[in-house]
Amino acid sequence: MDYRRFFETAVTRLQEERRYRVFAHLERCVETFPQAVWHRDDGSTRDVTIWCSNDYLGMGQHPDVIAAMVETASRVGAGSGGTRNISGTSHAIVELESELADLHGKEAALVFTSGWISNLAAISTIADLLPDCVILSDASNHNSMIEGVKRSRAERKIFRHNDLAHLEELLIEAGARPKLIVFESLYSMNGNIAPVAEIAALAERYGAMTYIDEVHAVGMYGARGGGICEREGVMHRIDVIEGTLAKGFGTLGGYVAGDRVVIDAIRSYAASFIFTTALPPAVAAAATAAVRLLKARSDLRAAHQRASHITKHALAAAGLPVLENGSHIVPVMVRDAELCKAASDMLLERHDIYIQPINYPTVARGSERLRITPTPRHTPEHIVALVESVADVWHTLGIPFVEPPQHLHIDAESRERCTYPEIKLAAQ
């Protein structure tokens, strides 16, 4: 039998549906981030500016984070030696879990090799340990959360995105059964924020347990970087907080934080934790350095928000279709898969700007977009170049502008702190 043809057919189908993913060969530069070296197929290289990194605060290039990784690797080696059950728990992971529990005001935390795995493991384990549990999951939850819900044997029901009335209907319907509400604080494709306090109130009223994914908010929001829940003052009202070390903290790994007994139960029952090689100590040490640093660096969070606000406003003032939201995510809507890919390619080839196209199945068909993520290291000059380049691509490809141009909200502090004339004018 010709097995190869099945795989060729599968890949061809993705290409025909315009869903085939092409990776850019990039090499980031510590000293010049957000600059990177683009290794082209012909063997040549070009310098490009990255505008779609999830290393939101640039912690992956921070000297303290790099130093912690290098020192730990040189002292204890590159790998972890196996699972924590077999090779023991490294001191670096113990320190990291302590820092994460403290960050969220919880009794304990548990570190996984990725945020995807932490959601898969924790959601399914919690739901399966609750007898006759029903999971109430937001319709826009991330794939990792969906997989965690599906892996569980519990009944699951989907509530409309951020729809409190629908969630309450399902809570009433579930009656006295154990209930687990699973939702995100910040939804990364649209950049909108959940009504976390209101969801916590519903959970308390109807006796439900809450599980929140804060992966796109930890490090970036709250007085110490604890996320949206810290900013809204509801961390103590959420049972389990899940986060990542790979975005705001710039390293690798995922985690959950909560009551000691809940975290211990996940540690003891989750197969994807028990049988997975532990995070290398050097990575854990780097993550700990980033968490400690960001607990004290509200200035980095403020700089990040300023860059995001100014970028949004400048793009919108140029008539580009920015999807307004209350977060640092800057979605520029294309609403066509082929045009979205073409826009991304043209930005790279013509303007040395890298922004990955976001197409189905990451977003719904007809809502394709460029997802821009400014960092504190994007300068006003970078923003001017971005706006001019995206406008040129829109004109060249015939992508519709917004008429009249949008006027997004921008806070006075961001406007006053911006000194580059072109951006300041756009922000007024």
Side-chain angles (χ1 to χ4, degrees):
M1 181 177 290
D2 180 13
Y3 290 102
R4 182 186 177 89
R5 67 185 175 89
F6 295 109
F7 302 102
E8 289 175 340
T9 300
V11 172
T12 300
R13 183 166 62 250
L14 288 178
Q15 292 169 335
E16 290 172 347
E17 294 174 357
R18 302 298 188 264
R19 294 198 290 128
Y20 182 73
R21 297 171 188 261
V22 178
F23 297 151
H25 183 175
L26 299 176
E27 186 176 354
R28 298 196 300 177
C29 306
V30 169
E31 296 297 329
T32 60
F33 182 80
Q35 300 301 116
V37 176
W38 175 29
H39 294 265
R40 307 179 72 191
D41 291 341
D42 62 6
S44 64
T45 61
R46 271 167 49 183
D47 291 337
V48 300
T49 303
I50 297 176
W51 274 100
C52 60
S53 172
N54 280 346
D55 186 359
Y56 295 129
L57 298 171
M59 286 295 101
Q61 290 79 44
H62 196 283
D64 291 358
V65 176
I66 295 170
M69 178 175 280
V70 171
E71 189 279 328
T72 304
S74 64
R75 182 166 45 84
V76 303
S80 63
T83 69
R84 292 168 73 171
N85 296 282
I86 297 297
S87 61
T89 292
S90 71
H91 181 62
I93 287 184
V94 173
E95 284 193 318
L96 175 57
E97 289 175 341
S98 176
E99 288 290 339
L100 292 168
D102 172 75
L103 176 66
H104 295 292
K106 300 298 185 186
E107 292 179 346
L110 187 67
V111 167
F112 294 79
T113 51
S114 75
W116 197 93
I117 289 295
S118 58
N119 270 333
L120 175 76
I123 293 171
S124 60
T125 302
I126 291 168
D128 282 349
L129 291 176
L130 294 173
D132 194 30
C133 176
V134 57
I135 302 174
L136 307 178
S137 178
D138 188 286
S140 293
N141 277 342
H142 187 262
N143 169 265
S144 59
M145 304 180 81
I146 294 169
E147 291 300 319
V149 170
K150 288 164 62 176
R151 175 170 287 240
S152 167
R153 296 184 297 273
E155 182 183 1
R156 71 291 308 254
K157 295 188 177 181
I158 311 301
F159 62 93
R160 292 185 292 271
H161 178 51
N162 280 348
D163 189 327
L164 294 170
H166 191 209
L167 173 58
E168 185 167 19
E169 286 177 23
L170 296 179
L171 286 165
I172 293 170
E173 232 176 67
R177 296 170 61 185
K179 298 169 283 291
L180 177 65
I181 303 173
V182 177
F183 65 110
E184 298 183 48
S185 65
L186 196 166
Y187 292 84
S188 65
M189 288 300 115
N190 288 344
N192 60 321
I193 293 172
V196 291
E198 291 84 351
I199 291 175
L202 284 176
E204 290 161 357
R205 186 181 309 160
Y206 295 102
M209 188 173 179
T210 46
Y211 180 105
I212 192 167
D213 177 312
E214 286 256 41
V215 297
H216 291 277
V218 289
M220 283 93 70
Y221 297 86
R224 298 197 309 156
I228 298 297
C229 288
E230 182 185 30
R231 188 187 74 174
E232 301 301 313
V234 298
M235 283 198 301
H236 63 291
R237 298 171 64 189
I238 301 294
D239 294 299
V240 179
I241 296 174
E242 188 267 349
T244 185
L245 304 167
K247 295 180 171 64
F249 298 122
T251 56
L252 179 71
Y255 65 90
V256 289
D259 290 347
R260 190 174 306 280
V261 68
V262 175
I263 300 304
D264 193 27
I266 297 169
R267 181 192 69 86
S268 302
Y269 281 89
S272 48
F273 171 80
I274 293 169
F275 297 105
T276 297
T277 296
L279 209 63
V283 176
T288 299
V291 173
R292 286 174 177 165
L293 184 72
L294 287 177
K295 284 178 179 178
R297 293 294 303 273
S298 60
D299 60 309
L300 285 176
R301 282 185 282 281
H304 176 239
Q305 289 295 319
R306 285 196 299 274
S308 175
H309 287 322
I310 293 168
T311 302
K312 280 183 186 178
H313 195 96
L315 288 164
L320 292 156
V322 178
L323 188 64
E324 189 167 5
N325 57 50
S327 75
H328 61 280
I329 307 294
V330 187
V332 181
M333 306 305 292
V334 181
R335 303 187 187 282
D336 180 278
E338 292 192 41
L339 281 176
C340 195
K341 179 66 167 63
S344 173
D345 291 345
M346 188 174 291
L347 282 168
L348 189 58
E349 289 283 356
R350 183 184 286 188
H351 297 288
D352 296 326
I353 287 176
Y354 174 63
I355 308 173
Q356 183 71 0
I358 305 296
N359 291 338
Y360 177 85
T362 305
V363 295
R365 288 187 175 92
S367 66
E368 294 82 5
R369 68 201 63 185
L370 300 180
R371 178 182 175 273
I372 297 170
T373 53
T375 74
R377 295 179 68 169
H378 282 94
T379 65
E381 292 88 347
H382 285 134
I383 298 172
V384 169
L386 172 72
V387 174
E388 292 175 347
S389 300
V390 176
D392 172 67
V393 167
W394 250 243
H395 281 296
T396 302
L397 295 178
I399 303 173
F401 283 76
V402 176
E403 297 293 346
Q406 294 169 281
H407 297 284
L408 304 182
H409 169 74
I410 184 167
D411 61 272
E413 182 185 6
S414 297
R415 191 161 54 243
E416 289 306 313
R417 285 176 183 255
C418 181
T419 57
Y420 203 63
E422 290 86 343
I423 295 297
K424 191 160 188 175
L425 180 64
Q428 289 175 349

